[in-house]
Amino acid sequence: KKTTYHADWQINRINFIFQNISAQSSLSGNINDESNESIFFATVVLYNNSDSTISQAISSNNEGTYKLKNIEDGDYYLEVSYL
């Protein structure tokens, strides 16, 4: 089963926990600042919840969007940060 998650972020750093993500899932979102301006080159990191190893990492594009693909089954948390 393929599952897609979407999130909109409006803060400079966030930790978000996802549990029981299904096989072949994807996670996408938009990252904006307080005035709703897109944040480009924000770092988006998906960590394994069990041992905090990095599962995937990506930077947002110049429109503030990102997409993590082919996420394997598991429990994860997401961290978004920018300077």
Side-chain angles (χ1 to χ4, degrees):
K1 178 181 174 186
K2 184 174 181 176
T3 306
T4 301
Y5 297 89
H6 180 82
D8 293 310
W9 309 108
Q10 292 188 332
I11 53 180
N12 69 354
R13 183 173 177 167
I14 188 167
N15 289 317
F16 197 82
I17 296 174
F18 294 94
Q19 295 184 345
N20 300 320
I21 288 182
S22 303
Q24 300 300 308
S25 295
S26 65
L27 176 65
S28 62
N30 301 336
I31 304 171
N32 303 309
D33 64 15
E34 300 83 20
S35 60
N36 209 28
E37 296 293 321
S38 297
I39 298 173
F40 55 93
F41 300 117
T43 303
V44 180
V45 183
L46 186 67
Y47 293 94
N48 291 305
N49 202 34
S50 61
D51 60 6
S52 297
T53 57
I54 295 173
S55 175
Q56 292 188 42
I58 195 168
S59 294
S60 61
N61 65 19
N62 56 352
E63 296 174 354
T65 62
Y66 68 90
K67 185 170 188 176
L68 300 169
K69 301 177 185 177
N70 300 318
I71 301 170
E72 297 181 12
D73 284 346
D75 294 339
Y76 299 92
Y77 65 95
L78 186 74
E79 180 180 84
V80 178
S81 59
Y82 68 93
L83 298 176

